């Protein structure tokens, strides 16, 4: 599943921080940690089982130096700023060679095996690929492993692509309770001919949560974590814990339960084993599950539909279940909202600035941005702050110096959205009374990377996805390609459904064409599809408006089209909320 990170501007910051190899900074051919430098890597905490407390250090190892990764019990994920390391050679990487080692013995003096994954996040959508590594024999510890990349695994500059190496299975920890340390050294990035590419060890790691895929999901705010909810089970097996009172209290109308997990077939739901209504499965095959099939969401309404609103009748225990072997890393409950984005956005050129807590900085209005602030629009601020707060200030408004959206801006994934209505409520509808300047502010130290204005649109949360098998194709600008309808997909296109097209195009446009419709050759949702994260969402209502409700009149074929060269990776239909 392809995905685009919303933090592309953080990638730009990482790019600027990471000075590439130059005459003043000699490049190395491999990373052997001989000089003790490892500022180009850090710990990723994107996955639910990540060890945020793991310790990284450079130690003597096998007659040289190595990076030691000492975990505290969870899985350490070591992330590399691969673009900073490789610069303009980034796209030439076709293999990664590294020496992997583990402690020679556990606390009982015995050798124990360990294994993990080399993750790559490549392409314009940061597609995740997994390559296993293992050290199973004492006589092959350490072990040099060459990870060869598939043809589709190409690192792309400017897309915040990443390399992450994990240790996820630790037999010593399972047997003794004590995790083994892991060692890495002699890393090389190889081109197609097997030559080592030069690396710049002055690169600086900047986290951007590469691994989290929020496609198909609701936005979750004010989450309450179910403390200690980590467990595993076999197919159709249930495991869980007695309710955490704070989590139970947070399950109210408008809330959603979010489960971070892995399962062999991607399924996940919950069970209330002691409910007054009887042993109850909730959201079996009905949960909102992301494209990577590692986050599932179950709404309060889905729970109530099975066990009612009276929490005293829910029983004392929450369990998880899937159709195949599964592991749950975390459970949390929070307020449920739609993910947001902008359509037809106008960039505020040069709006990059920083400030201290309760300090304001900004710029004189850009005329095109001011013109775009109309009913239905919003200001989007891409930012970082120590407490994740952000709003805007109109310092010269006729109504007086004015804070707008303080503690009420919608904040998602490093972006704050302040709507036209919020602006109007404070400074009125007349832009001539807004003053000549826009500023940003937060409660703590903050940095703003960009400001845009556009029409605010909601990304639908989607469940019960029906995949259109084999729908992968490409086309030139204004060219159409596609396939005859799959009967199951056609059957799923009913009121309340949405067609989801996963794609790339040079200008980020995408829509669909019904070439054989009774109404005539028909474009649907041209320039009106909701587009976010490499996906175009086209609703049943948009289809019906052009070709009617009678599917017999839709014709036998579905095609895709964009204004520029495009590739479609998949098409599916799901129920939207």
């Amino acid at each position: 599943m392809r995905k685009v990170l919303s933090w592309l501007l953080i990638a730009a910051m990482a790019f600027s921080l990471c000075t590439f190899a130059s005459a003043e900074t000699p490049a190395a051919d491999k990373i052997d940690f001989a000089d003790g430098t490892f500022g180009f890597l850090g710990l990723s905490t994107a996955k639910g089982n990540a060890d945020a407390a793991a310790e990284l250090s450079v130690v003597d190892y096998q007659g040289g130096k190595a990076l030691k990764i000492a975990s505290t019990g969870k899985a350490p994920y070591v992330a590399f700023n691969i673009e900073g390391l490789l610069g303009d050679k980034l796209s030439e990487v076709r293999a990664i060679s590294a020496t992997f080692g583990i402690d020679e013995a556990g606390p009982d003096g015995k050798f124990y095996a360990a294994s993990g994954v080399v993750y790559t996040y490549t392409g314009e959508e940061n597609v995740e690929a997994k390559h296993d590594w293992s050290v199973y024999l004492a006589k092959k510890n350490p072990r040099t492993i060459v990870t060869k990349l598939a043809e589709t695994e190409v690192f792309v500059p400017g897309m915040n692509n990443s390399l992450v190496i994990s240790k996820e299975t630790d037999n010593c920890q399972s047997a003794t309770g004590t995790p083994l340390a892991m060692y890495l050294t002699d890393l090389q990035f190889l081109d197609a001919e097997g030559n080592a590419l030069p690396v710049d060890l002055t690169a600086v790691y900047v986290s951007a949560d590469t691994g989290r895929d929020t496609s198909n999901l609701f936005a979750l705010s004010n989450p309450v974590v179910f403390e200690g909810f980590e467990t595993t089970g076999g197919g159709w097996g249930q495991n869980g814990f007695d309710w955490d009172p704070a989590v139970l209290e947070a399950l109210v109308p408008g809330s959603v339960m979010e489960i971070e997990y892995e399962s062999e077939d991607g399924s996940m739901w919950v069970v209330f084993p002691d409910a007054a209504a009887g042993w109850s499965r909730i959201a079996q095959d009905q949960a909102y599950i992301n494209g990577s099939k590692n986050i599932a969401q179950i709404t309060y309404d889905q729970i109530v539909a099975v066990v009612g609103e009276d929490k005293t009748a829910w029983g004392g225990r929450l369990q998880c279940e899937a159709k195949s072997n599964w592991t749950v890393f975390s459970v949390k409950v929070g307020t449920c909202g739609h993910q947001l984005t902008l359509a037809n956005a106008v960039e505020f050129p040069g709006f990059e600035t920083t400030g201290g807590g309760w300090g304001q900085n900004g710029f004189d209005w850009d005329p095109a941005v001011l013109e775009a602030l109309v009913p239905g629009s919003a200001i989007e601020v891409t930012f970082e702050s120590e407490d994740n707060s952000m709003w805007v200030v109109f310092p010269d408004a006729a109504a007086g110096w004015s804070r707008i959206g303080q503690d009420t801006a919608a904040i998602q994934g490093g972006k704050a959205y302040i709507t036209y209505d919020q602006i109007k409520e404070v400074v009125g509808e007349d832009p001539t009374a807004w003053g000549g300047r826009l500023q940003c502010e937060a409660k703590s130290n903050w940095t703003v990377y960009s400001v845009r204005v556009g029409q605010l649109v909601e990304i639908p949360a989607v469940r019960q996805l029906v995949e259109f098998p084999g729908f992968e194709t490409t086309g030139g600008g204004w060219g159409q390609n596609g396939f005859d309808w799959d009967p199951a997909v056609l059957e799923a296109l009913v009121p309340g459904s949405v067609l989801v097209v996963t794609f790339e195009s040079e200008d980020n446009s995408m829509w669909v064409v019904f070439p054989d419709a009774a109404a005539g050759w028909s474009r649907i949702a041209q320039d009106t599809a909701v587009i976010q994260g490499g996906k175009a969402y086209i609703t049943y209502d948009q289809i019906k408006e052009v070709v009617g409700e009678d599917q017999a009149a839709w014709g036998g074929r579905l095609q895709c089209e964009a204004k520029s060269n495009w590739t479609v990776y998949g098409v599916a239909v799901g129920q939207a909320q």
Side-chain angles (χ1 to χ4, degrees):
M1 176 60 66
R2 290 157 173 84
K3 55 194 177 190
V4 173
L5 295 176
S6 62
W7 282 57
L8 294 181
L9 284 160
I10 290 183
M13 183 182 77
F15 188 91
S16 67
L17 286 173
C18 303
T19 306
F20 297 145
S22 64
E24 292 76 24
T25 306
D29 285 330
K30 65 181 177 182
I31 302 173
D32 58 10
F33 300 99
D35 63 357
T37 298
F38 60 93
F40 48 82
L41 55 81
L43 290 171
S44 170
T45 57
K47 291 186 179 292
N49 63 337
D51 187 351
E55 294 184 3
L56 307 180
S57 60
V58 172
V59 299
D60 293 330
Y61 186 73
Q62 300 288 320
K65 297 286 187 180
L67 179 75
K68 179 180 179 180
I69 303 109
S71 58
T72 62
K74 291 188 175 183
Y77 291 85
V78 179
F80 292 73
N81 179 2
I82 192 167
E83 181 167 1
L85 285 167
L86 290 155
D88 58 8
K89 300 290 186 182
L90 180 65
S91 297
E92 296 180 28
V93 178
R94 303 314 311 137
I96 302 160
S97 176
T99 297
F100 294 79
I102 56 177
D103 283 334
E104 294 179 357
D108 56 3
K110 296 180 180 178
F111 171 82
Y112 288 95
S115 61
V117 178
V118 177
Y119 295 89
T120 63
Y121 296 91
T122 59
E124 294 186 4
E125 297 182 1
N126 277 279
V127 181
E128 181 185 88
K130 299 180 180 181
H131 307 268
D132 295 332
W133 70 266
S134 62
V135 176
Y136 275 107
L137 299 174
K139 64 183 180 182
K140 292 189 177 181
N141 178 29
R143 179 185 176 199
T144 298
I145 299 172
V146 177
T147 298
K148 295 181 179 180
L149 306 188
E151 289 185 6
T152 55
E153 284 178 84
V154 178
F155 293 106
V156 176
M159 292 294 109
N160 204 22
N161 287 176
S162 184
L163 168 72
V164 178
I165 298 177
S166 68
K167 175 175 69 86
E168 299 183 40
T169 301
D170 190 328
N171 290 351
C172 182
Q173 182 175 336
S174 300
T176 70
T178 301
L180 297 170
M182 171 186 170
Y183 302 87
L184 278 177
T185 193
D186 293 343
L187 282 91
Q188 291 183 304
F189 299 98
L190 309 177
D191 64 15
E193 287 73 42
N195 300 314
L197 296 167
V199 290
D200 176 11
L201 300 182
T202 67
V204 177
Y205 173 74
V206 177
S207 173
D209 277 351
T210 306
R212 185 171 174 83
D213 169 17
T214 59
S215 61
N216 307 335
L217 302 179
F218 293 100
L220 184 74
S221 58
N222 306 314
V224 177
V225 176
F226 198 130
E227 294 296 335
F229 204 114
E230 298 178 48
T231 188
T232 188
W236 300 103
Q238 311 89 40
N239 272 314
F241 300 89
D242 293 345
W243 280 105
D244 179 309
V247 169
L248 196 59
E249 184 179 355
L251 271 169
V252 294
S255 66
V256 64
M257 179 184 294
E258 182 175 283
I259 304 164
E260 294 197 36
Y261 73 100
E262 286 182 357
S263 69
E264 292 175 356
D265 72 326
S267 65
M268 178 55 57
W269 59 85
V270 294
V271 171
F272 285 23
D274 307 319
W279 188 94
S280 300
R281 285 187 174 112
I282 298 171
Q284 180 185 348
D285 298 327
Q286 300 286 322
Y288 295 84
I289 292 178
N290 67 346
S292 299
K293 294 183 168 61
N294 58 15
I295 301 175
Q297 292 182 338
I298 298 166
T299 66
Y300 173 84
D301 288 342
Q302 288 178 304
I303 294 171
V304 165
V306 179
V307 293
E309 297 182 70
D310 180 6
K311 293 180 185 179
T312 64
W314 290 4
R317 194 165 177 82
L318 174 69
Q319 295 181 325
C320 292
E321 186 183 36
K323 296 177 184 176
S324 57
N325 294 335
W326 57 269
T327 300
V328 164
F329 304 117
S330 72
V331 172
K332 62 189 72 165
V333 171
T335 303
C336 176
H338 283 289
Q339 295 187 60
L340 303 173
T341 191
L342 297 183
N344 305 313
V346 177
E347 185 87 20
F348 197 130
F351 205 115
E352 297 180 45
T353 187
T354 187
W358 301 103
Q360 311 90 42
N361 273 314
F363 300 88
D364 293 346
W365 281 105
D366 176 80
V369 169
L370 196 59
E371 186 179 354
L373 266 172
V374 295
S377 69
I379 298 173
E380 177 192 85
V381 182
T382 301
F383 76 100
E384 279 185 294
S385 68
E386 293 174 355
D387 71 329
N388 202 37
S389 66
M390 179 55 59
W391 58 86
V392 294
V393 170
F394 287 22
D396 308 320
W401 188 95
S402 301
R403 286 186 173 112
I404 301 171
Q406 181 185 348
D407 298 329
T408 59
I411 293 179
Q412 299 178 2
K415 296 179 185 293
Y417 293 91
I418 297 102
T419 67
Y420 173 86
D421 287 342
Q422 288 175 303
I423 295 169
K424 181 181 73 172
E425 185 177 342
V426 178
V427 293
E429 297 181 76
D430 180 7
T432 64
W434 292 358
R437 192 167 177 82
L438 174 68
Q439 295 181 325
C440 293
E441 185 182 34
K443 296 177 183 176
S444 57
N445 294 335
W446 56 269
T447 299
V448 164
Y449 302 110
S450 73
V451 169
R452 303 190 306 160
V453 171
Q455 291 296 301
L456 188 66
V457 294
E458 295 182 341
I459 310 301
V462 183
R463 61 188 174 91
Q464 293 177 274
L465 278 172
V466 177
E467 300 285 343
F468 197 130
F471 204 115
E472 296 185 40
T473 187
T474 188
W478 300 103
Q480 311 90 40
N481 274 315
F483 300 88
D484 293 345
W485 280 105
D486 176 79
V489 169
L490 199 58
E491 185 179 354
L493 266 171
V494 295
S497 67
V498 61
L499 191 68
V500 184
V501 182
T502 302
F503 76 99
E504 285 182 287
S505 69
E506 293 173 353
D507 71 328
N508 202 37
S509 66
M510 179 55 58
W511 58 85
V512 293
V513 170
F514 286 23
D516 308 319
W521 189 94
S522 301
R523 285 187 174 112
I524 298 171
Q526 180 184 347
D527 297 329
T528 59
V530 173
I531 291 177
Q532 172 75 346
K535 295 182 185 297
Y537 299 87
I538 298 161
T539 67
Y540 173 86
D541 287 343
Q542 287 177 305
I543 294 171
K544 180 183 72 173
E545 185 178 344
V546 178
V547 293
E549 297 182 77
D550 180 9
Q551 292 186 342
W554 290 2
R557 193 165 177 82
L558 173 68
Q559 295 181 325
C560 293
E561 186 183 34
K563 296 177 183 176
S564 57
N565 294 335
W566 58 269
T567 300
V568 164
Y569 302 109
V571 170
V573 173
Q575 292 298 305
Q577 182 171 330

